[in-house]
Amino acid sequence: MANPIRVAVTGAAGQIAYSILFRVASGQVFGQDRPVHLKMLEITPAMKALQGVAMELSDCAFPLLTKMDLTDSAEEAFDGINWVFMVGAKPRGPGMERADLILGNGPIFVGQGRALNRGASDVRAMVVGNPCNTNCLIAMSNSDIPKDRFSAMMRLDQNRSQSLLADKSGQPVSAVTNMAVWGNHSNNQYPDFENAKIGGKPAPQVINDQSWLQETFVKTVQNRGAEVIKARGASSAASAANAALDHVKSLIQPTPAGDWNSVAVCSDGQYGVDKGLIFGYPIQTKADGSYGVVEGLPMSPWAKAKFDAVHEELRKEREVVKHLLK
Ligand code: NAX
């Protein structure tokens, strides 16, 4: 058997982690031949609940789960890790502005960013805790590890988009490919139906209803999180965890030829985005494990306006947290 992969999960007693941990321990992400050592981080008051989660993990008798560490210290949690799911953050409360959420959660990612320096030489970090793009920017800025090891999650938005296009076109989800969601995981994100394909054909040609695509589709994807909260009384959890797993798999497995996935990564100026912003792009992972942004996708003037708006939103978020950036 290979050496165990060391995987940290922050916010490990929370609802998203409750789904991530069991699926990672069962081998669904890193493979059925790779043992897993879980390193679970929580805040001190949640350590008892975390013990309960660990008891349940133990009760599953997962053959691949070799070890569990439970801690309230980011330095301990990140020591020697290969991957981290950065989920832990406070959810947005009633009446809270986005800027308040950014200021509330941002400091968490300063300390955790520094603690990432304790990771293994190949450490990689993905951020789920909101506002995930800007939290990822803060962690990246406060750590010394290479920028291409950081990403934030747009995959729930991609999956929501694919499902909706499949439903509208009467085709299976697997027929919907090339789904880019540009920019920020916020209600200004732009799910790009213009470049999406259904059964290998351009989505607008298959659906042939521009006003549904521009209005209903885009708004439904943008507001889906809020709709789930209204219906369930709690924010997306199993679907968010599922997306986190898809996200990591799409970064460690080669992307099928001609397709792409949506991942927020550090911009190197592609599509005119400010260098250094964590921006949702179409990404392809190569056979050697490196990844790149798919360049040269066309955008109508209507789409470009959506793109510019979400770019501007991320610039403003960076401004709000500039005191937390190194
Ligand atoms: P929960 O409130 O169930 O769990 C969060 C956990 O994080 C709690 O157990 C809390 O004690 C812990 N925590 C807080 N501060 C911490 C710190 N400094 N170190 C370690 N742990 C800490 O929330 P949950 O539903 O699991 O959501 C977690 C985060 O994911 C939230 O910020 C949420 O907004 C975000 N989401 C992001 C999504 C995305 O697509 N990027 C979608 C789903 C979700 O809304």
Side-chain angles (χ1 to χ4, degrees):
M1 272 262 180
N3 279 338
I5 184 161
R6 278 153 297 179
V7 183
V9 178
T10 77
Q15 56 156 2
I16 295 175
Y18 191 69
S19 186
I20 290 179
L21 287 164
F22 292 81
R23 294 183 63 186
V24 169
S26 72
Q28 289 179 43
V29 185
F30 299 102
Q32 293 300 330
D33 53 355
R34 191 81 200 263
V36 179
H37 172 175
L38 284 176
K39 295 175 71 81
M40 300 181 267
L41 177 67
E42 258 299 345
I43 49 173
T44 314
M47 288 306 287
K48 185 155 182 246
L50 183 58
Q51 279 166 15
V53 175
M55 286 159 71
E56 283 205 72
L57 279 159
S58 181
D59 293 348
C60 290
F62 288 120
L64 291 170
L65 183 58
T66 56
K67 196 170 176 207
M68 289 186 274
D69 296 327
L70 286 60
T71 177
D72 57 3
S73 150
E75 284 73 23
E76 264 178 47
F78 296 171
D79 194 38
I81 54 164
N82 308 104
W83 264 99
V84 57
F85 292 84
M86 301 178 91
V87 183
K90 293 171 213 141
R92 189 163 167 171
M96 213 169 157
E97 294 298 323
R98 195 168 170 87
D100 298 332
L101 181 74
I102 296 173
L103 287 174
N105 283 334
I108 296 174
F109 291 83
V110 173
Q112 292 186 1
R114 281 192 207 121
L116 277 169
N117 294 339
R118 305 274 298 257
S121 58
D122 65 349
V123 62
R124 296 180 80 169
M126 67 84 67
V127 181
V128 175
N130 277 326
C132 62
N133 299 56
T134 295
N135 287 339
C136 184
L137 172 70
I138 296 168
M140 183 179 79
S141 157
N142 284 282
S143 101
D144 300 325
I145 62 179
K147 292 187 172 18
D148 65 358
R149 308 285 185 79
F150 287 87
S151 58
M153 188 166 97
M154 307 295 292
R155 186 55 181 258
L156 184 53
D157 310 302
Q158 173 187 330
N159 288 350
R160 286 167 172 165
S161 302
Q162 284 177 298
S163 233
L164 204 55
L165 291 180
D167 194 47
K168 178 75 177 171
S169 63
Q171 300 219 27
V173 166
S174 57
V176 183
T177 59
N178 303 80
M179 190 66 242
V181 182
W182 299 95
N184 201 4
H185 171 69
S186 74
N187 52 13
N188 282 310
Q189 62 181 263
Y190 169 50
D192 182 357
F193 59 84
E194 292 182 353
N195 287 297
K197 290 186 180 147
I198 304 175
K201 295 191 189 125
Q205 200 177 306
V206 177
I207 289 182
N208 196 19
D209 184 345
Q210 192 70 353
S211 88
W212 182 86
L213 287 166
Q214 286 189 345
E215 293 302 320
T216 312
F217 169 70
V218 171
K219 288 206 175 81
T220 304
V221 176
Q222 288 174 335
N223 298 320
R224 185 68 164 186
E227 289 302 313
V228 170
I229 294 175
K230 259 197 236 159
R232 209 173 82 88
S235 62
S236 306
S239 58
N242 181 66
L245 267 52
D246 284 348
H247 172 112
V248 172
K249 282 190 279 183
S250 75
L251 287 171
I252 60 178
Q253 295 171 2
T255 311
D259 200 1
W260 53 72
N261 288 298
S262 303
V263 183
V265 296
C266 181
S267 167
D268 195 27
Q270 297 96 335
Y271 294 90
V273 172
D274 289 4
K275 277 192 184 186
L277 282 180
I278 301 291
F279 198 88
Y281 280 119
I283 295 290
Q284 280 172 340
T285 300
K286 301 175 193 128
D288 67 1
S290 64
Y291 67 79
V293 171
V294 177
E295 302 212 49
L297 295 181
M299 271 181 220
S300 67
W302 179 88
K304 183 68 172 57
K306 295 271 171 218
F307 181 97
D308 290 345
V310 75
H311 184 195
E312 195 49 39
E313 179 182 54
L314 278 169
R315 284 178 170 147
K316 285 200 181 122
E317 289 189 13
R318 180 180 54 192
E319 193 57 27
V320 172
V321 300
K322 66 174 184 227
H323 60 292
L324 301 177
L325 304 176
K326 258 203 327 201

